[in-house]
Amino acid sequence: MNYIIFDLEWNQSPEGKSGSDERMPFEIIEIGAVRLNEKREKTGEFQTLIKPQVYKWIHDSIRSVVHVDYKDLMSGATFPQAIRDFLDWCGEDFVFCTWGMQDLTELQRNLRYYDLLELLPGPVTYYDIQKLFSWFHENMKLRRSLEYAVDTLGIRKEKGFHRALEDAEYTAEVFCRLDMSEILPYYSVDTYQAPKNKKQEIYISYPAYDKYISRQFTDREKIIKDREVSSTRCPVCHLPAKRKLRWFINNSRIYESISVCQKHGSIKGKVRIRKTDDGMFYAVKTLKRVSEEKAEELREKRDSLRKKRRTKNQ
């Protein structure tokens, strides 16, 4: 299996939101990628400029960062040709790696705009190198910039940043310095193409927690009432856990709960409800063991929210 570390540069409406096409707010203008084999040895690279069709003038902020002018793009490939060339170059057996999660989402959004989404069936699994760097190198959830990671790991900065191929190369350098035995189980799932039916729903058991991605619903309010969405199982033994704190919604519009496994203690549940570009809704649920102190903090948080809402209603 190959690892395809890719990076995208994109343009947006120079007129701001008033001139933006909601179907594709960011138009890809460059693809850069590095291919690594299973030993994380470099076996190839890919780079192409793409001639814009939607936003035919480079936004000033984009030009100042990426240093690409519209004239540079006039000889580029069309997006349909560029993406076919890129996927052909990737081969058949590969997994994507990116710095953050936005590149993969915007790639699919651009594919959809050109009615080419079937070229990359989803949900798409990938490795988020930005997240993995934060988790395993700094032991924190804070998202860092690519240049920060390069500096932290002592990687030589022989090229600039904010061009697709150069950023892909730096991301590959960071990836190669992470402990594969630690990061390999923690693949991510991009849900731009969320599961459409129950058979496509996703269940993942990571070493530290479990994740479930539901099918799509037409009504947001019905999701938390769904039996599978609201159920809680221990992420260690996977047996049903008894609910101690019912699902409640916090100020971030996230549902939380506490359940108890007789063998493994308190289990914190978290459900985020997300919306697709089609106006459908789906849930992402995580279940994780927590200490009794953390469980009590969540109970106090629930009580405080209830008190504030009562006061507001009165």
PDB file of all heavy atoms in Angstrom, residues 284-297:
ATOM      1  N   VAL A 284     -22.028  12.021  14.584  1.00  0.00           N
ATOM      2  CA  VAL A 284     -20.723  11.423  14.869  1.00  0.00           C
ATOM      3  C   VAL A 284     -20.638  11.252  16.382  1.00  0.00           C
ATOM      4  O   VAL A 284     -20.617  12.231  17.135  1.00  0.00           O
ATOM      5  CB  VAL A 284     -19.565  12.300  14.365  1.00  0.00           C
ATOM      6  CG1 VAL A 284     -18.230  11.650  14.716  1.00  0.00           C
ATOM      7  CG2 VAL A 284     -19.667  12.528  12.862  1.00  0.00           C
ATOM      8  N   LYS A 285     -20.634   9.998  16.814  1.00  0.00           N
ATOM      9  CA  LYS A 285     -20.627   9.702  18.255  1.00  0.00           C
ATOM     10  C   LYS A 285     -19.286   9.133  18.677  1.00  0.00           C
ATOM     11  O   LYS A 285     -18.720   8.278  17.987  1.00  0.00           O
ATOM     12  CB  LYS A 285     -21.736   8.702  18.587  1.00  0.00           C
ATOM     13  CG  LYS A 285     -21.785   8.295  20.054  1.00  0.00           C
ATOM     14  CD  LYS A 285     -22.958   7.378  20.353  1.00  0.00           C
ATOM     15  CE  LYS A 285     -22.819   6.021  19.706  1.00  0.00           C
ATOM     16  NZ  LYS A 285     -23.929   5.100  20.045  1.00  0.00           N
ATOM     17  N   THR A 286     -18.767   9.613  19.813  1.00  0.00           N
ATOM     18  CA  THR A 286     -17.555   9.026  20.386  1.00  0.00           C
ATOM     19  C   THR A 286     -17.864   8.563  21.803  1.00  0.00           C
ATOM     20  O   THR A 286     -18.638   9.196  22.536  1.00  0.00           O
ATOM     21  CB  THR A 286     -16.392  10.028  20.416  1.00  0.00           C
ATOM     22  OG1 THR A 286     -16.790  11.205  21.132  1.00  0.00           O
ATOM     23  CG2 THR A 286     -15.980  10.420  19.007  1.00  0.00           C
ATOM     24  N   LEU A 287     -17.269   7.461  22.191  1.00  0.00           N
ATOM     25  CA  LEU A 287     -17.421   6.891  23.528  1.00  0.00           C
ATOM     26  C   LEU A 287     -16.033   6.663  24.108  1.00  0.00           C
ATOM     27  O   LEU A 287     -15.206   5.977  23.494  1.00  0.00           O
ATOM     28  CB  LEU A 287     -18.199   5.577  23.471  1.00  0.00           C
ATOM     29  CG  LEU A 287     -19.647   5.669  22.980  1.00  0.00           C
ATOM     30  CD1 LEU A 287     -20.219   4.286  22.712  1.00  0.00           C
ATOM     31  CD2 LEU A 287     -20.519   6.418  23.990  1.00  0.00           C
ATOM     32  N   LYS A 288     -15.794   7.228  25.283  1.00  0.00           N
ATOM     33  CA  LYS A 288     -14.450   7.199  25.861  1.00  0.00           C
ATOM     34  C   LYS A 288     -14.514   7.037  27.370  1.00  0.00           C
ATOM     35  O   LYS A 288     -15.380   7.621  28.032  1.00  0.00           O
ATOM     36  CB  LYS A 288     -13.732   8.516  25.510  1.00  0.00           C
ATOM     37  CG  LYS A 288     -12.304   8.605  25.992  1.00  0.00           C
ATOM     38  CD  LYS A 288     -11.699   9.943  25.568  1.00  0.00           C
ATOM     39  CE  LYS A 288     -10.245  10.046  26.006  1.00  0.00           C
ATOM     40  NZ  LYS A 288      -9.648  11.346  25.586  1.00  0.00           N
ATOM     41  N   ARG A 289     -13.608   6.243  27.916  1.00  0.00           N
ATOM     42  CA  ARG A 289     -13.524   6.096  29.372  1.00  0.00           C
ATOM     43  C   ARG A 289     -13.046   7.396  29.997  1.00  0.00           C
ATOM     44  O   ARG A 289     -12.159   8.072  29.470  1.00  0.00           O
ATOM     45  CB  ARG A 289     -12.552   4.982  29.748  1.00  0.00           C
ATOM     46  CG  ARG A 289     -13.014   3.576  29.420  1.00  0.00           C
ATOM     47  CD  ARG A 289     -11.948   2.567  29.817  1.00  0.00           C
ATOM     48  NE  ARG A 289     -11.759   2.534  31.259  1.00  0.00           N
ATOM     49  CZ  ARG A 289     -10.726   1.927  31.864  1.00  0.00           C
ATOM     50  NH1 ARG A 289      -9.797   1.335  31.139  1.00  0.00           N
ATOM     51  NH2 ARG A 289     -10.627   1.921  33.177  1.00  0.00           N
ATOM     52  N   VAL A 290     -13.660   7.759  31.134  1.00  0.00           N
ATOM     53  CA  VAL A 290     -13.228   8.946  31.876  1.00  0.00           C
ATOM     54  C   VAL A 290     -13.171   8.614  33.361  1.00  0.00           C
ATOM     55  O   VAL A 290     -13.767   7.634  33.817  1.00  0.00           O
ATOM     56  CB  VAL A 290     -14.172  10.149  31.643  1.00  0.00           C
ATOM     57  CG1 VAL A 290     -14.102  10.630  30.216  1.00  0.00           C
ATOM     58  CG2 VAL A 290     -15.607   9.815  32.045  1.00  0.00           C
ATOM     59  N   SER A 291     -12.464   9.442  34.106  1.00  0.00           N
ATOM     60  CA  SER A 291     -12.371   9.246  35.555  1.00  0.00           C
ATOM     61  C   SER A 291     -13.682   9.658  36.225  1.00  0.00           C
ATOM     62  O   SER A 291     -14.527  10.337  35.625  1.00  0.00           O
ATOM     63  CB  SER A 291     -11.228  10.100  36.114  1.00  0.00           C
ATOM     64  OG  SER A 291     -11.523  11.483  35.948  1.00  0.00           O
ATOM     65  N   GLU A 292     -13.835   9.253  37.477  1.00  0.00           N
ATOM     66  CA  GLU A 292     -15.024   9.643  38.231  1.00  0.00           C
ATOM     67  C   GLU A 292     -15.090  11.161  38.398  1.00  0.00           C
ATOM     68  O   GLU A 292     -16.166  11.753  38.398  1.00  0.00           O
ATOM     69  CB  GLU A 292     -15.019   8.962  39.602  1.00  0.00           C
ATOM     70  CG  GLU A 292     -15.195   7.445  39.540  1.00  0.00           C
ATOM     71  CD  GLU A 292     -16.471   7.037  38.840  1.00  0.00           C
ATOM     72  OE1 GLU A 292     -17.519   7.672  39.088  1.00  0.00           O
ATOM     73  OE2 GLU A 292     -16.430   6.101  38.028  1.00  0.00           O
ATOM     74  N   GLU A 293     -13.911  11.795  38.522  1.00  0.00           N
ATOM     75  CA  GLU A 293     -13.867  13.249  38.654  1.00  0.00           C
ATOM     76  C   GLU A 293     -14.399  13.920  37.393  1.00  0.00           C
ATOM     77  O   GLU A 293     -15.165  14.892  37.465  1.00  0.00           O
ATOM     78  CB  GLU A 293     -12.432  13.706  38.929  1.00  0.00           C
ATOM     79  CG  GLU A 293     -11.886  13.331  40.292  1.00  0.00           C
ATOM     80  CD  GLU A 293     -11.469  11.866  40.386  1.00  0.00           C
ATOM     81  OE1 GLU A 293     -11.348  11.208  39.332  1.00  0.00           O
ATOM     82  OE2 GLU A 293     -11.272  11.391  41.518  1.00  0.00           O
ATOM     83  N   LYS A 294     -14.002  13.425  36.220  1.00  0.00           N
ATOM     84  CA  LYS A 294     -14.480  13.988  34.956  1.00  0.00           C
ATOM     85  C   LYS A 294     -15.979  13.761  34.793  1.00  0.00           C
ATOM     86  O   LYS A 294     -16.698  14.623  34.274  1.00  0.00           O
ATOM     87  CB  LYS A 294     -13.719  13.363  33.782  1.00  0.00           C
ATOM     88  CG  LYS A 294     -12.265  13.764  33.685  1.00  0.00           C
ATOM     89  CD  LYS A 294     -12.115  15.230  33.315  1.00  0.00           C
ATOM     90  CE  LYS A 294     -10.660  15.608  33.140  1.00  0.00           C
ATOM     91  NZ  LYS A 294     -10.503  17.057  32.812  1.00  0.00           N
ATOM     92  N   ALA A 295     -16.441  12.597  35.235  1.00  0.00           N
ATOM     93  CA  ALA A 295     -17.879  12.311  35.156  1.00  0.00           C
ATOM     94  C   ALA A 295     -18.674  13.280  36.034  1.00  0.00           C
ATOM     95  O   ALA A 295     -19.734  13.783  35.637  1.00  0.00           O
ATOM     96  CB  ALA A 295     -18.149  10.869  35.575  1.00  0.00           C
ATOM     97  N   GLU A 296     -18.152  13.565  37.225  1.00  0.00           N
ATOM     98  CA  GLU A 296     -18.831  14.489  38.128  1.00  0.00           C
ATOM     99  C   GLU A 296     -18.793  15.913  37.573  1.00  0.00           C
ATOM    100  O   GLU A 296     -19.767  16.666  37.717  1.00  0.00           O
ATOM    101  CB  GLU A 296     -18.172  14.446  39.511  1.00  0.00           C
ATOM    102  CG  GLU A 296     -18.867  15.297  40.566  1.00  0.00           C
ATOM    103  CD  GLU A 296     -20.321  14.921  40.764  1.00  0.00           C
ATOM    104  OE1 GLU A 296     -20.673  13.733  40.588  1.00  0.00           O
ATOM    105  OE2 GLU A 296     -21.125  15.822  41.101  1.00  0.00           O
ATOM    106  N   GLU A 297     -17.701  16.284  36.915  1.00  0.00           N
ATOM    107  CA  GLU A 297     -17.615  17.613  36.294  1.00  0.00           C
ATOM    108  C   GLU A 297     -18.687  17.780  35.215  1.00  0.00           C
ATOM    109  O   GLU A 297     -19.286  18.849  35.085  1.00  0.00           O
ATOM    110  CB  GLU A 297     -16.225  17.813  35.674  1.00  0.00           C
ATOM    111  CG  GLU A 297     -15.118  18.069  36.676  1.00  0.00           C
ATOM    112  CD  GLU A 297     -13.768  18.205  36.002  1.00  0.00           C
ATOM    113  OE1 GLU A 297     -13.719  18.326  34.750  1.00  0.00           O
ATOM    114  OE2 GLU A 297     -12.747  18.174  36.710  1.00  0.00           O
TER     115      GLU A 297
END
